[in-house]
Structure formats: C-alpha cells, structure tokens
Amino acid sequence: MNIATETELPDVVVAIDLGGTALKGSLVSATGETVATRTQPTPAEGIIEALLSVIAELLDDAVSHSRRVVAAGVVTPGMVDEIAGVVTYASNLNWRNVPLLAELQSKLSIPVAVGHDVRAAGLAESRLGAAKGIEDFTLIPIGTGMAAALVSATGPIRGALGAAGEIGHIPIVQGGELCTCGQRGCLEVYVSGAGVARRYAARSGRTRSSRDIVARLGTDPDADAVWEDATRALAQGLATVTLLLDPGVIVLGGGFSQAGSALLEPVTRHLQENLAWRDAPEVVLSSLGGDAGRIGAALLAFAKVGRLEVADSWVRDAERVPL
C-alpha cells in the first residue's frame, strides 16, 4: 500500500469568523469546498483560548480527512489594525489593544492572517457574491449592529485607525435615542435587529424579534411604524454613503437582508427620494448571507500564502458552496 506524504495531501485552510455571539470555523479546500465545520458560542472570557480550541479541533479534522492545513484566517469585529494584527477595540468582545495575530502565531505552526470581519466579507462579495466584477461598492451587513465594507478600485478603505466603515454610528437623528456607544441618534439604533426589536417593544409593550416584526408587516400597525422608521433611516444613511463615496452598488447583508423585498423596496424608494440631482446606485441583497465572513477568512488565509487566485475557480451554487 502506498501512503501519501504530507506534501501530497490536498491543501485546506482554517477559516474562523469570530463574532460577539458565535465562533464559527471551517476547513476550506483550494477548490472552495467545505471539509469540516465547528461552531460554538463565544464565551464572555477566555476568547482566545476558545478560538485556539476550535482551531485545534479543525486541525484534527484535517488529519481525519487526510488534508494538509497551509494557513489560517481569523476575522473579528471592531477596530482592527490588519497589518499589525491588533484588535484595537471590539466592544462586543470586550477587547482593547489585543495583539491577536501575535497570540495566535505564538501557538500555531501555520501562517495566520487576521482581518476585520466586514472588510473580509466585502472581499468575499467582490470575488464570489453580489459585487463580483464591480470595482467600487459598499457592503453593509445588518444584524445585531451594523458596519460597512467600503471598497474602491484600489481595495478596501481601512482608515487611519482601522475604523473606516462604522456606518452604524453615523448620527442620523439629532438628539435622538441613546446608542450603546454613548452617542445619540446613531443609525443602528433605528436600523439594526436589536434596535428594531427594542423600539417595537417600547412602542407596543410586546417583545418580538426583528424577524417576527417583519412577519407582522401589514397586520400590525406598530410593526409597520417601526419598520418605516428603520427603512427611512437606512435610506438616509445610504444617501450619505452615496454622496461621499459614489459606489456602483450597495450590497445589504446580514440578518436584515432576509427580509427580502420588504427591506429592498422601501429602502430603494426612500434612497432615491433623498437624492435630488443624481440617480441612486443599485441596491441589492447579499448572495453570500451569513457565510460572507468565513468565506472572507478563507480568502485571507490563502492570500497569506500567496494563493488568493485559487478563488477564481470557486463556484457559489447549490452543489458547491464555500463554507
């Protein structure tokens, strides 16, 4: 019997999307196929230890599937210095100045890339998703909170502090409702899943998830009123993005995008109403959904070892879906 050496095994990367509520990891092959997945809740403490534990499980999965791990990509929310690999600030992880790349690289024998979750999702959308072939676009995943990937022909815009794209904290309503960040009238107070649910509860006295609120549109006046506020506020934020950056396409992702036409139709209409002298850019829904962050992490891992071109052959369809 011939036994394959390690160098003859098919290559995979570890891709980790570290969020405030869940830590989601996968092994992704050079052909874009998922080999294994691991998911667990993000702990309140010991996050790096939990992250290393999931990576160790995926490394074991690679052995059991006769694969060779060539790199790892980890993406995280917050203000991220991607060159230094430092998470300067991430409120939902309770992190300040965490040298994530150094911490991981000191424990792992494979190359590691660290990135911002939404910018990595933007990379995925540009390679495989709704922004494929478009040089200038904005991706806005909307979930518990919201941020944006701002992409130009020269690549993602990171900003001086690695904090570019914090669209959720653009003040939309002067003296408006208090945001968890300490400002008032922030966009995500009115648009995010948490914001819509909180505003519905304050208005109606009933507790509903944002998904339930969408399902009640047309039959519940409180749901209609809160959703109208949300889509108008989002359109106002998109008008600011349009006039500042002139994107060719605006891609809406995250849990909010599951509302489909209930989100897309009013936002598109209100956006055009906010633009007096120019046409609005096309607004579309993400085709990668909640997978975009992990797909982006896989791309960063392959890029770390100089093999980003492997994604040119990846196909996003029912038969073969990265991550």
Side-chain angles (χ1 to χ4, degrees):
M1 178 184 295
N2 293 325
I3 300 176
T5 65
E6 183 179 357
T7 56
E8 294 172 331
L9 299 177
D11 291 342
V12 294
V13 296
V14 170
I16 304 285
D17 184 358
L18 172 59
T21 58
L23 198 167
K24 299 176 286 188
S26 296
L27 288 179
V28 181
S29 75
T31 58
E33 295 171 305
T34 300
V35 175
T37 61
R38 298 277 179 170
T39 302
Q40 70 172 55
T42 301
E45 298 181 355
I47 294 175
I48 292 179
E49 289 77 7
L51 179 58
L52 286 166
S53 177
V54 170
I55 292 174
E57 291 173 356
L58 288 168
L59 293 175
D60 288 342
D61 290 336
V63 173
S64 64
H65 286 85
S66 299
R67 305 297 177 104
R68 179 177 71 127
V69 179
V70 296
V74 178
V75 299
T76 172
M79 295 169 56
V80 183
D81 181 339
E82 288 153 313
I83 296 175
V86 175
V87 181
T88 308
Y89 176 61
S91 60
N92 53 0
L93 300 177
N94 197 26
W95 277 1
R96 283 188 181 274
N97 298 316
V98 173
L100 182 59
L101 178 60
E103 292 275 3
L104 296 177
Q105 199 64 83
S106 69
K107 302 291 194 305
L108 299 171
S109 59
I110 55 175
V112 179
V114 166
H116 183 268
D117 56 353
V118 177
R119 286 195 287 271
L123 174 62
E125 289 287 353
S126 70
R127 287 274 176 168
L128 295 164
K132 186 174 182 179
I134 300 171
E135 290 187 337
D136 292 87
F137 72 93
T138 298
L139 166 67
I140 305 176
I142 309 170
T144 304
M146 62 186 302
L150 314 173
V151 182
S152 73
T154 57
I157 299 170
R158 295 180 173 85
L161 301 176
E166 289 294 341
I167 187 175
H169 298 292
I170 293 176
I172 292 294
V173 180
Q174 186 174 5
E177 297 177 29
L178 183 65
C179 180
T180 55
C181 76
Q183 297 178 167
R184 285 192 173 274
C186 289
L187 180 58
E188 73 174 41
V189 170
Y190 302 90
V191 178
S192 66
V196 165
R198 181 188 53 76
R199 298 190 79 242
Y200 178 85
R203 181 183 179 93
S204 69
R206 302 186 299 274
T207 301
R208 304 281 185 189
S209 69
S210 58
R211 180 176 295 182
D212 289 340
I213 292 166
V214 171
R216 297 174 71 84
L217 293 177
T219 63
D220 182 340
D222 292 319
D224 291 342
V226 169
W227 193 250
E228 176 68 9
D229 286 347
T231 56
R232 283 190 179 277
L234 178 55
Q236 187 176 342
L238 298 188
T240 300
V241 169
T242 298
L243 294 169
L244 186 64
L245 298 173
D246 188 26
V249 168
I250 296 175
V251 182
L252 302 180
F256 244 52
S257 66
Q258 296 175 10
S261 61
L263 174 68
L264 198 58
E265 291 177 5
V267 167
T268 300
R269 182 175 69 256
H270 295 323
L271 174 58
Q272 188 59 69
E273 292 169 354
N274 286 333
L275 299 170
W277 51 267
R278 60 156 292 165
D279 290 335
E282 184 181 11
V283 182
V284 301
L285 301 179
S286 167
S287 60
L288 302 181
D291 286 336
R294 281 186 289 169
I295 295 173
L299 294 174
L300 292 180
F302 277 114
K304 183 73 175 182
V305 290
R307 297 180 58 189
L308 182 57
E309 78 284 347
V310 299
D312 293 343
S313 64
W314 290 7
V315 176
R316 176 74 182 185
D317 60 24
E319 276 93 43
R320 205 163 55 124
V321 179
L323 302 178

